[in-house]
Amino acid sequence: MQDFAASFFEAFRLVISLDPDLLEVVWLSMRVSLSAVAMAALVGFPVGAFLAVARFPGRGLLVITISALMGLPPVVVGLVVYMLLSSAGVLGPLQLLYTPTAMIIAQTILVTPIVAALARQTLEDLHDEYRDQLVLYGLGNLAQLKTLLWEGRYSLLTTLLAGFGRAVAEVGAVIIVGGNINHVTRVMTTTIALETSKGNLALALGLGFILVTIAFAVNALVFMSRAAAVRRAYA
Amino acid sequence: MNRHLARFMAVSTVVAMTAGGAMADDFIVVQSTTSTQNSGLYDYILPIYEDKSGVQIRVVAVGTGQAIKNARNCDGDVLLVHAKPAEEKFVAEGYGVERTDLMYNDFIIVGPPADPAGVKGMKDASTALNKIADSENIFVSRGDDSGTNKKEVALWKAAGVDPSQSSGQWYRETGSGMGATLNATIGMDGYTMTDRATWIAFGNKADHEILVEGDKALFNQYGVILVDSEKCPRVKSDLGQAFVDWMLSDEGQKAIASYRLDGKQLFFPNAPNVTN
Amino acid sequence: MRENLLSAVQRQAMPVLPVTGTGLRVSRKGRVLLDVDDIEIAGQGTTVIVGPNGAGKSLLLNLLAGLRQPDRGKVRWNGTPPSRSRYCRFGMVLQHAVLLRRSVRANVEYALRAVGHSRTEARRRAETSLDEAGMERLAHASARVLSGGERQRLALVRALATHPDLLFLDEPTSSLDPASVLAIETMVQDASVKGMRAVMVAHDLAQAKRVADEIILMHHGRIVERAATDNFFQRPQSETAEAFIAGRLLI
C-alpha cells in the first residue's frame, strides 16, 4: 500500500510551492464553510436562546428534534438541497445549483442544528444561574437574552468551532449540490474524494493533512484571539 | 462589548451573501461521467476550447445513470456519457436534441497477477466472465447504474450468468465510481471491469494488470447530446450547441486524439463525417 | 441632593416603599415553609431578619423582592405588585451573587446602565463607587477570579452604585473573613445613614446587634417577634426569642 511518508511529502510539496489550484480550493473551502457557520450562527443562536428561556407546549419535542438533527447525514441534506435547487425543483429559477451559494445553503442546514442545540444547552445553564440577577436588573426578555449571549460568548464560540469542523470536513452534501466543478465548486474534501477515486492515494492523504492543519489553524486563531480579548478586557 | 458581536455577525453575513455572487454568465454545465474526468481528458481539452471561445465549461462528473437523471432535471446543457440505449431513450423522450457518436475507448478486465481464475490473455469476454464465476473469485462491480455498470451487466447476460444471485459473496457491488471500485478491487485482490482510460490514469494499480482485452463486445462508445430547450427552457442552447459542434469538428476530434497519458492514446474520436 | 444621584429612569419610576406582604403562604409537599400574615417594610434604617436555619428568612426576602411567587397572599410595592420598571430603585445582594463574566468595573457599569445611565456616566460612577469601596485596584480584574470576600464586596458595590431606595441582603457575609465582614457592614451602614432602607438576612446575632435598628425573628416560617434592636435583646417578649438569644433554639 501507499507510504504515509509519501503523503507528507505531497502535502509539503503542495504547500511549499503555493500551488495555485490548492490555494483556490482551500480558499473556497474556507469561504463556503465560514459563511455557512456565520449563517448558522444567525439562525442557530436566536433559536437556541429562545428554546433556552421560553416555555411552551411542544418545547421538549422541539429540543429533542433539533438535537437529533445534529446527526443529519450530509448526503441526505445534499440530496434535499439538490432537489430544491434543481431546475426541476421549487427553487430552480434561482439558478443556484452547482454554485458556492448552493454549497453554503447545504452546509448551513447541516450546521444550524449543531449551533442551535449546543447554544440552547449553554444558554439554559447560564439562564438558571443568572435568572434572579437579571430579574433584579429589571431587564425584559430580549435584553436578558442579549446579556446571556454575551456572557456565554466563549462557550458559544466553541459551538461555532464545532459547526465549522462539521462543515469543513463534510463531502457528501457539497459534492452533490456543488458538483465538484473544477475552479468553480471544488473544495478540499471533494478534491480528496476525487484524488482517491483517481487512485492518487498519497496526494489525497496529503490534502487530508493540509485540511486538518487548516482546521487546526482556524481553531488556534480563535483561541488566541480569545485569549487576547480576555487580556485586553482585564488588562 | 455587544457591538463587537454585532459587527462580527454583520460582516460574516455580508461575506455569506456575496460568496455566491460574481459568477460569469458565459458558462455551460456538462453532465458527464467519472471515467472521462478521472482520465484527465477534460483537463486537457477543455482549456483549449475555453481559450478559443471564452466560454467556461463546468463539468459535473457522476455516473452515467446519475448524469442522465440530472440532465432530465434540466441541470445541465450538454450530456456526455457512454450508455447508448439510455442515451437514445433520453433523446426519444424529448430531453435531448440529438445523439451523436463522439469517441470511443474500450473496456478491459483487470485482476491480480496470480490470476486464480485463469483468464489471462483471453480475447472472449463471455468465456472469461464464466471462468471467473465458476472459480468464485471475487469480482467487484460498480453496481451504480453507470455506463460501465450497464455494460458489465450486459456482458454477464451474454455470458449466461446471473451474478446478482451471488451478490455479497464472490460478486461485490460497491455502488461507487470507477476509481473507488478500483481501489476496492485492489484491496480485495479481485477482478473488475473498467474502461481503459481510467485504468491507465489510475494511480493505485498495486500489481494488478490487464488480463482480458480486445473483444469487440468490450467496445465503449461515448455519445454527446445537447439538452433540448423545449423541455428545459433555461438551457443555453447556443453555447451548448457551439461546444458540441466543436467536439465533433476536426479540431475537437484532433484534440481528443492527441490526449496522451504515459504515452498512450486514451480516447479514439469517431464522430460521423470525420476521417481519422 | 439625593435626586441628583439618580438617573432619569429612576426618577420617573414609581416608588418602591412601603413594601408589604399579606397572607403570604408557601408550602411544599404538605410542609409549610412560610406563613406570614402581615409584614411591612417602610420608614428608615436597617432591619435584620434572624432565625435558625430553615426558618424561612431567605424565602421571605425573595417573596418581597418579587423573585418568587407565594402560593397564597400578595406582595405590594407602594400598593401595586412589583414591576420590572421599579427594579431600578431596588437593589439586592443574593446569597450567591452572580457576577458577570467581565471585569469588576464592567460589572458595576452594567448595573448602572440597567438603571438608565449613559455609557460615560456609568463609567464615571463605577469608578467613583469602586474608589469609595477601596476596590479601584481590582477594577480591571476579571470578576470571576475574585476571592469570596471580594466577590461579596463587588456584589454590594454594584447594588449600591445605583443608589437604590431599598436594599435587600441575603446572608451577604456568611463564610467571610472578619475584615470582609466589617467592610460590608460599614458600607451598608453608610448607605443607611444616607437614607437607604435596608433589610438583611443573617444568622449571626453579633452582626444583628452591630447593624440592626430593628430585628425580625423567624421560626418555622412564621414571624415570632419584631422589635427595635435594644428591646429585642434586653426584653424579649416570647420564649422562642429568649431561647434564640441564649443560643438554645434549634430547628
Side-chain angles (χ1 to χ4, degrees):
Chain A
M1 284 307 288
Q2 301 288 326
D3 195 353
F4 276 95
S7 333
F8 275 117
F9 177 76
E10 276 294 336
F12 193 68
R13 186 185 63 75
L14 285 170
V15 171
I16 288 296
S17 64
L18 286 177
D19 184 278
D21 282 350
L22 175 72
L23 293 181
E24 188 183 3
V25 162
V26 168
W27 164 237
L28 186 63
S29 276
M30 291 298 113
R31 203 179 79 176
V32 167
S33 294
L34 289 175
S35 302
V37 168
M39 300 301 285
L42 284 181
V43 181
F45 283 162
V47 169
F50 177 73
L51 287 176
V53 297
R55 293 292 176 270
F56 53 90
R59 175 186 173 276
L61 192 66
L62 201 56
V63 166
I64 293 170
T65 306
I66 289 178
S67 291
L69 289 179
M70 290 199 286
L72 265 181
V75 180
V76 172
V77 171
L79 207 55
V80 170
V81 174
Y82 168 80
M83 295 200 306
L84 290 174
L85 295 184
S86 162
S87 287
V90 193
L91 303 176
L94 298 177
Q95 292 283 287
L96 288 176
L97 194 64
Y98 304 137
T99 65
T101 306
M103 300 159 85
I104 292 170
I105 292 170
Q107 290 198 341
T108 301
I109 294 172
L110 274 176
V111 174
T112 301
I114 296 179
V115 173
L118 296 182
R120 201 264 320 151
Q121 189 61 57
T122 298
L123 294 172
E124 195 168 324
D125 292 347
L126 262 184
H127 185 242
D128 284 346
E129 181 190 343
Y130 278 58
R131 183 168 34 217
D132 284 354
Q133 192 66 52
L134 295 178
V135 167
L136 290 173
Y137 285 133
L139 299 180
N141 287 335
L142 267 175
Q144 287 195 23
L145 279 181
K146 210 175 122 192
T147 298
L148 287 178
L149 281 169
W150 184 249
E151 288 295 302
R153 59 199 179 277
Y154 297 133
S155 308
L156 295 175
L157 206 55
T158 309
T159 300
L160 291 186
L161 285 177
F164 175 75
R166 163 97 155 158
V168 83
E170 73 87 21
V171 60
V174 285
I175 207 163
I176 295 177
V177 302
N180 191 24
I181 298 169
N182 206 1
H183 304 306
V184 181
T185 55
R186 188 162 294 174
V187 291
M188 291 295 285
T189 52
T190 60
T191 309
I192 292 169
L194 176 63
E195 292 305 332
T196 305
S197 76
K198 283 179 175 177
N200 298 329
L201 303 193
L203 176 58
L205 199 53
L207 289 166
F209 286 138
I210 294 174
L211 180 59
V212 172
T213 309
I214 289 168
F216 179 86
V218 168
N219 278 272
L221 206 67
V222 168
F223 278 96
M224 279 177 341
S225 56
R226 171 188 158 169
V230 171
R231 267 201 308 279
R232 221 180 19 258
Y234 305 137
Chain B
M1 281 203 179
N2 280 324
R3 278 174 307 155
H4 297 301
L5 192 65
R7 197 177 303 152
F8 165 75
M9 294 277 199
V11 169
S12 19
T13 315
V14 171
V15 170
M17 291 311 191
T18 54
M23 294 268 228
D25 202 37
D26 279 353
F27 69 87
I28 57 170
V29 171
V30 177
Q31 289 287 351
S32 188
T33 70
T34 48
S35 54
T36 39
Q37 161 134 323
N38 286 5
S39 68
L41 175 70
Y42 288 130
D43 292 338
Y44 175 74
I45 64 165
L46 293 185
I48 300 175
Y49 181 72
E50 289 174 346
D51 284 350
K52 180 183 140 77
S53 65
V55 175
Q56 190 187 25
I57 310 297
R58 298 183 177 177
V59 178
V60 176
V62 286
T64 290
Q66 175 82 54
I68 291 175
K69 277 189 198 111
N70 286 350
R72 268 175 194 272
N73 285 338
C74 304
D75 293 325
D77 304 295
V78 171
L79 183 64
L80 200 169
V81 291
H82 60 123
K84 198 168 177 180
E87 293 164 47
E88 283 169 341
K89 183 160 174 264
F90 181 80
V91 173
E93 287 170 1
Y95 289 99
V97 176
E98 180 191 12
R99 181 200 172 278
T100 314
D101 281 345
L102 174 68
M103 61 187 184
Y104 70 89
N105 65 354
D106 63 342
F107 291 109
I108 51 179
I109 293 173
V110 299
D115 188 21
V119 298
K120 187 169 187 169
M122 295 183 78
K123 287 272 179 283
D124 187 62
S126 289
T127 322
L129 289 178
N130 261 308
K131 285 194 80 167
I132 292 170
D134 288 345
S135 72
E136 303 205 337
N137 275 290
I138 286 177
F139 184 95
V140 186
S141 167
R142 290 275 293 271
D144 64 348
D145 200 30
S146 62
T148 304
N149 186 227
K150 285 183 162 90
K151 184 73 175 183
E152 181 217 314
V153 169
L155 286 172
W156 282 114
K157 204 171 176 191
V161 179
D162 183 5
S164 60
Q165 299 294 321
S166 307
S167 185
Q169 294 155 37
W170 60 266
Y171 188 70
R172 307 277 171 91
E173 295 171 287
T174 62
S176 312
M178 195 69 252
T181 303
L182 281 172
N183 280 328
T185 306
I186 306 294
M188 294 187 232
D189 218 23
Y191 294 85
T192 194
M193 190 189 86
T194 171
D195 63 286
R196 190 184 293 271
T198 301
W199 178 250
I200 291 175
F202 191 64
N204 182 33
K205 294 192 185 75
D207 51 4
H208 272 50
E209 52 190 49
I210 300 174
L211 299 175
V212 180
E213 60 185 325
D215 189 340
K216 277 220 162 56
L218 291 170
F219 190 74
N220 181 24
Q221 178 66 49
Y222 287 85
V224 63
I225 302 171
L226 176 69
V227 178
D228 198 327
S229 58
E230 298 227 339
K231 284 267 187 189
C232 300
R234 267 187 299 272
V235 160
K236 297 169 183 163
S237 297
D238 295 347
L239 296 181
Q241 187 64 55
F243 177 64
V244 171
D245 288 347
W246 180 79
M247 293 278 277
L248 298 172
S249 72
D250 277 354
E251 198 186 336
Q253 294 277 291
K254 282 205 180 78
I256 292 170
S258 63
Y259 176 55
R260 294 280 192 290
L261 195 71
D262 292 344
K264 290 175 196 132
Q265 180 174 350
L266 295 191
F267 293 95
F268 300 86
N270 66 343
N273 309 322
V274 174
T275 46
N276 291 290
Chain C
M1 159 72 188
R2 180 173 151 71
E3 284 298 298
N4 291 336
L5 293 171
L6 300 180
S7 74
V9 173
Q10 283 172 302
R11 256 172 269 141
Q12 278 163 18
M14 296 278 290
V16 175
L17 290 165
V19 168
T20 58
T22 44
L24 297 178
R25 242 182 113 86
V26 177
S27 52
R28 181 152 320 141
K29 290 175 187 162
R31 204 164 74 86
V32 176
L33 300 181
L34 192 93
D35 185 3
V36 171
D37 284 337
D38 192 30
I39 182 171
E40 184 182 67
I41 307 291
Q44 305 276 313
T46 299
T47 301
V48 172
I49 307 177
V50 294
N53 285 330
K57 309 185 292 289
S58 292
L59 181 57
L60 177 61
L61 208 61
N62 281 318
L63 289 178
L64 295 178
L67 294 177
R68 299 282 174 278
Q69 298 307 315
D71 298 339
R72 282 218 318 261
K74 52 192 180 188
V75 168
R76 291 289 179 266
W77 288 5
N78 190 30
T80 55
S83 56
R84 237 178 67 201
S85 62
R86 279 186 293 171
Y87 275 109
C88 62
R89 304 191 70 153
F90 172 83
M92 182 163 179
V93 175
L94 297 169
Q95 192 167 2
H96 303 287
V98 179
L99 300 178
L100 303 179
R101 288 161 169 79
R102 314 175 186 208
S103 69
V104 166
R105 188 181 70 188
N107 264 275
V108 184
E109 280 174 17
Y110 185 92
L112 287 159
R113 296 277 291 147
V115 299
H117 287 293
S118 72
R119 204 178 286 276
T120 45
E121 182 64 11
R123 171 148 306 182
R124 196 183 62 72
R125 284 170 186 254
E127 277 166 358
T128 309
S129 298
L130 288 170
D131 283 350
E132 285 171 1
M135 291 182 78
E136 67 278 3
R137 198 174 42 77
L138 292 170
H140 297 286
S142 167
R144 307 285 287 199
V145 302
L146 299 179
S147 71
E150 289 165 344
R151 288 175 63 92
Q152 284 305 94
R153 274 162 66 202
L154 172 57
L156 182 56
V157 168
R158 190 173 67 174
L160 291 175
T162 59
H163 297 285
D165 298 339
L166 172 64
L167 178 72
F168 281 4
L169 303 105
D170 193 355
E171 302 199 22
T173 60
S174 55
S175 72
L176 293 189
D177 60 277
S180 298
V181 173
L182 182 65
I184 285 171
E185 287 175 0
T186 309
M187 282 163 72
V188 173
Q189 281 170 317
D190 286 353
S192 176
V193 167
K194 287 176 189 161
M196 181 191 73
R197 185 72 171 90
V199 180
M200 177 162 134
V201 165
H203 51 212
D204 175 2
L205 277 178
Q207 179 171 57
K209 256 183 199 162
R210 285 196 299 273
V211 299
D213 298 304
E214 170 192 57
I215 303 273
I216 294 177
L217 172 65
M218 291 187 72
H219 192 219
H220 293 317
R222 296 168 193 273
I223 292 177
V224 179
E225 198 157 329
R226 179 173 184 171
T229 308
D230 290 346
N231 287 340
F232 179 80
F233 285 105
Q234 285 156 20
R235 290 179 289 280
Q237 301 295 302
S238 60
E239 277 181 37
T240 315
E242 227 170 294
F244 183 70
I245 293 163
R248 283 185 280 105
L249 189 65
L250 300 173
I251 304 167

